[in-house]
RNA sequence: GGGCCCGUAGCUCAGCAUGGAUAGAGCGACGGCCUUCUAAGCCGUAGGUCGCGGGUUCAAAUCCCGCCGGGCCCGCCA
């Protein structure tokens, strides 16, 4: 088991920190600041430095001038005191502008680093952070209504990298996928599939995605058709009223509006089939202009009120019309893409009310475990799941298990949690419908743990309540629909408890989009209120920002997404094109390389930026095979292996590492020694991108070395041996980093 | 309206938690390097008001306040 003292840099740092502290307590006993020691941003300055001199000077000086002098003096003192001792692994110490700069003695340090890496091998970078601790990592959990797309893929790759990281530092990790089979959307899908006489074709999850998009779009279209009819009816009513008002008006202002209104009103009455939709916008704009310029002051209050009422109506109508237009566009798109499915469904689904009723009825039946419906839903979700696993298998993502939402409902676990909340007195009931609602707003006033979850102080809350500005408080959580079926977040509360109790989890990572921050907070609040405050603390929402398409938002309902399979296909194709140009490779190997490179490229692209950063999908980025990419790392690894292979993998037992005097060699060694730091940082912050960054910098340094200095033909045998071991240490470290990221490792490229 | 995330080179991103030296990579542009361990590479050049404005500090990309821009959330959706 690798502990801290196995890592030379950490050992050195600890030692230096102690020595700094000794000097500090000897000479500045009243200074309470901890000694700082950092890695230099630039090896031109030094390797490590401390700014303790500034901290102490701050306390001792009154003005700027004195401060500078103090800092210099203190730094001098530190340098003098420390230089007097013989510090292992330190070549020299100097004061530069008040910084205490340390220079590593690479003649010794290099050997320590390289040898420790080679002896630890696949354990290099390992920590004993998570011994005997269980972590549940829930990730991917896709809605079973569409294939895994680029958005879900960020989740999968992130969750998978986190599980590799946590395993690496000693946690007992179980990955779970939550199968969200109880959503209303699944019911829409089920309804669509039950109406389709067609045999599924293609990959099952892709087929499901097509059907769902069609059903969802048809349902939207039906909704908007009725809404538009309603708008038209109300438009005519308004115009009629206006006609009368205008007739009665003494001082009719001779405006464009009145004329236009009259004309439109006349036309609509005369020709009911005229394209009235466009008129709405015209009238709206004229009216907006008038109201803005306050040109209606002279007319009667009654008419003015009518006009304002009309304006509000038009504003709403306009919004709806724009939405409707966008759905009509989607409608046309889908009809063109999948005419067979779409037209079938369009014929079968003619009435919105029937659709809604049927869908609701399916949901109730499924929730109650109706055998027929159960069979249908489970079949669909299993098909989807099968497709997901096939896709994820391409990028080597697997799960330790699957949890079906419906099981939580059928087992009564959801009911249990609702009852607990009720018995604890935290449920209120909607006056009209009687649906149960979790009273988070009262909890905010009474329960400190809930305030903490929402990062709100009691003062702030009282202030909001006093101002009667309740809308700016976090909202209460509706737990059930009025038809008695459960809601997603409610079921998720039961699942959270399940994860902790069934798996004895010490920590639960929920890898879920940042758009679900509020429900995740509500969930944790519910745990507190149900009497599980310790559970709430164990649950961490690993939030990542969603992936956006360059053109529009990802929307499964609109069939607008880029399937992960498609991305992998493209990446493979591009990689193959490249590999095809390489000499001396069998077809089989070419294919193998293309696949691995594609996975490397895609995983790298999805992991390379911090999860909190919004990502806009970019083909060039995902298909990047050059620098700053997965393939670049894979290539660097293959190059290192290539050297070792030429040496027939015969490595010397030891070497004279003081022969490694080149700057780039020292840089590589320092970088290698920083790997444990990168791991620790990545785990603590739950950010695999830190490993990506690390690996990239390391590989850049290695490639620079590779290009400039021969290993096998080094000038002396001693140098050759030292470099061979350096290459081996690099290979091990990069391999460990790549396996944490799930980027495939290739011996040859 | 309230809340969360993001804003750093033409583009994609590190650096911000814990303030520290000359703000780093890659892509793209330009100029070089394959008879030498794999050129998916390397070397060099150009490119920055760290969104804006205040404040704290010896020191601010980093901390605080206020704006601006982009995204998301505030559903009996998930």
């Amino acid at each position: 088991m690798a502990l801290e003292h196995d890592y030379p840099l950490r050992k050195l740092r600890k030692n230096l920190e102690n020595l700094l502290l000794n000097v500090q307590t000897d000479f500045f006993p009243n200074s309470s600041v901890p000694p700082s020691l950092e890695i230099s941003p630039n090896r031109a300055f030094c390797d490590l430095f401390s700014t303790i001199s500034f901290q102490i000077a701050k306390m001792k000086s009154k003005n700027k001038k004195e401060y500078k002098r103090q800092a210099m003096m203190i730094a001098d003192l530190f340098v003098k005191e420390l230089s007097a001792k013989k510090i292992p692994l330190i070549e020299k110490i100097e004061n530069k502008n008040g910084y205490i700069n340390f220079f590593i003695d690479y003649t010794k340090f290099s050997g320590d680093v390289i040898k420790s890496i080679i002896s630890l091998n696949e354990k290099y970078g390992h920590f004993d952070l998570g011994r005997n601790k269980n972590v549940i990592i829930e990730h991917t959990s896709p809605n079973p209504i569409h294939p895994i797309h680029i958005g879900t893929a960020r989740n999968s790759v992130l969750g998978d990298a986190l599980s590799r990281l946590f395993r690496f530092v000693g946690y007992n990790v179980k990955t779970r996928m939550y199968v969200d089979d109880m959503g209303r959307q699944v019911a829409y899908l089920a309804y669509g599939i039950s109406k389709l006489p067609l045999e599924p074709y293609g990959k099952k999850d892709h087929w499901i995605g097509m059907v769902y998009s069609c059903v969802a779009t048809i349902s939207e279209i039906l909704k908007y058709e009725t809404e538009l009819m309603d708008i038209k009816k109300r438009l005519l009513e308004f115009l009629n009223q206006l006609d009368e008002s205008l007739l009665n008006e003494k001082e009719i202002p001779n405006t464009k509006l009145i004329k236009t209104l009259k004309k439109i009103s006349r036309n609509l009455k005369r020709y009911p089939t005229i394209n009235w939709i466009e008129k709405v916008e015209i009238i709206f704009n004229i009216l907006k202009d008038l109201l803005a310029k306050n040109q209606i002051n002279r007319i009667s209050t009654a008419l003015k009120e009518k006009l304002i009422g009309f304006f509000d109506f038009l504003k709403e109508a306009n919004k709806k019309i724009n939405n409707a237009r966008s759905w009509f566009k989607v409608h046309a798109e889908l009809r063109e893409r999948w005419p067979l499915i779409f037209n079938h469904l369009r014929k079968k689904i003619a009435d919105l009310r029937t659709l809604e009723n049927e869908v609701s009825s399916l949901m109730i039946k499924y929730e109650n475990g109706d055998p027929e419906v159960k069979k249908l839903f489970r079949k669909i979700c299993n098909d989807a799941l099968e497709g997901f696993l096939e896709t994820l298998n391409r990028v080597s993502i697997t799960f330790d298990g699957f949890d079906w939402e419906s099981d939580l409902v059928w087992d009564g676990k959801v009911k249990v949690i609702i009852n607990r909340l009720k018995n604890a007195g935290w449920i209120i009931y909607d006056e009209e419908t009687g649906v149960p609602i979790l009273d988070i707003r009262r909890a905010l006033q009474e329960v400190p743990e809930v305030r903490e979850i929402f990062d709100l102080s009691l003062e702030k809350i009282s202030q909001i309540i006093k101002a009667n500005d309740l809308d700016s408080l976090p909202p209460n959580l509706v737990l059930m629909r009025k038809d008695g079926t459960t809601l997603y977040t409610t079921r998720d509360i039961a699942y959270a408890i399940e994860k902790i109790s069934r798996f004895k989890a010490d920590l639960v990572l929920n890898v879920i989009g940042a758009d679900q921050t509020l429900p995740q907070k509500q969930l944790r609040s519910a745990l507190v209120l149900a009497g599980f405050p310790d559970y709430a603390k164990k649950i961490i929402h690993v939030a990542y920002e969603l992936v956006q398409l360059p053109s529009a938002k990802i929307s499964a309902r609109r069939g607008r997404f880029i399937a992960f399979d498609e991305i992998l296909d493209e990446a493979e194709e591009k990689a193959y094109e490249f590999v095809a140009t390489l000499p001396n490779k069998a077809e089989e190997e070419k294919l193998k390389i293309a696949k691995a490179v594609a996975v490397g490229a895609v995983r790298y692209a999805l992991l390379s930026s911090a999860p909190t950063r919004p990502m806009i999908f970019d083909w060039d980025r995902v298909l990047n095979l050059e620098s700053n990419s997965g393939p670049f790392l894979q290539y660097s690894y293959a190059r290192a292996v290539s050297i070792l292979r030429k040496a027939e993998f015969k490595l010397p037992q030891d070497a004279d590492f003081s022969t490694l005097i080149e700057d780039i060699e020292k840089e590589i060694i320092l970088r290698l020694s920083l790997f444990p730091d990168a791991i620790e940082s990545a785990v603590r912050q739950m950010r695999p991108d830190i490993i990506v960054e690390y690996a990239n910098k390391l590989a850049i340094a290695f490639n620079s070395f590779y290009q400039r200095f021969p290993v096998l033909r080094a000038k002396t045998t001693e140098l050759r041996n030292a470099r061979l071991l350096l290459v081996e240490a690099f290979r091990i470290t990069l391999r460990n980093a790549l396996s944490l990221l799930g980027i495939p490792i290739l011996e040859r490229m």
Side-chain angles (χ1 to χ4, degrees), chain A residues 1-3 126-135 165-173 506-507 683:
Chain A
M1 189 88 21
L3 298 172
H126 184 279
F127 283 100
D128 199 16
L129 285 177
R131 198 205 313 231
N132 299 329
K133 283 191 188 146
N134 299 324
V135 186
L165 256 175
F166 274 75
R167 277 197 186 110
F168 193 60
V169 296
Y171 286 91
N172 176 26
V173 176
D506 298 291
L507 199 63
V683 170

Side-chain angles (χ1 to χ4, degrees), chain A residues 359-371:
Chain A
V359 165
S360 295
S361 146
L362 280 172
M363 282 181 66
I364 293 168
K365 282 181 184 159
Y366 191 49
E367 190 128 358
N368 293 332
D370 177 290

Side-chain angles (χ1 to χ4, degrees), chain A residues 6 15 27 47 116 133 168 205 232 392 399 449 465 467 470 501 529 531 536 559 641 731:
Chain A
D6 290 318
N15 189 23
F27 292 86
D47 293 304
S116 95
K133 283 191 188 146
F168 193 60
D205 52 330
K232 188 179 176 187
L392 292 171
F399 291 84
E449 289 97 327
I465 289 172
L470 293 180
S501 58
L529 299 177
V641 172
R731 185 191 68 82

Side-chain angles (χ1 to χ4, degrees), chain A residues 496-547:
Chain A
I497 293 169
E498 180 78 357
K499 279 186 276 197
I500 294 174
S501 58
R502 174 147 60 110
F503 302 109
K504 309 220 177 333
D506 298 291
L507 199 63
V508 174
L509 306 189
N510 288 339
V511 182
I512 299 176
D515 56 339
Q516 291 198 48
T517 303
L518 174 62
Q520 284 291 308
K521 285 182 178 178
Q522 290 171 321
L523 180 152
R524 280 189 287 136
S525 303
L527 292 179
V528 170
L529 299 177
F532 302 108
D534 48 331
Y535 282 25
K537 286 206 183 80
K538 289 178 179 176
I539 291 187
I540 295 172
H541 176 201
V542 181
Y544 62 95
E545 283 294 332
L546 303 182
V547 180

Side-chain angles (χ1 to χ4, degrees), chain A residues 433-445:
Chain A
T433 59
V435 301
I437 297 167
L438 187 64
D439 197 353
I440 285 176
R441 290 190 169 163
R442 182 162 67 85
L444 281 167
Q445 296 167 63

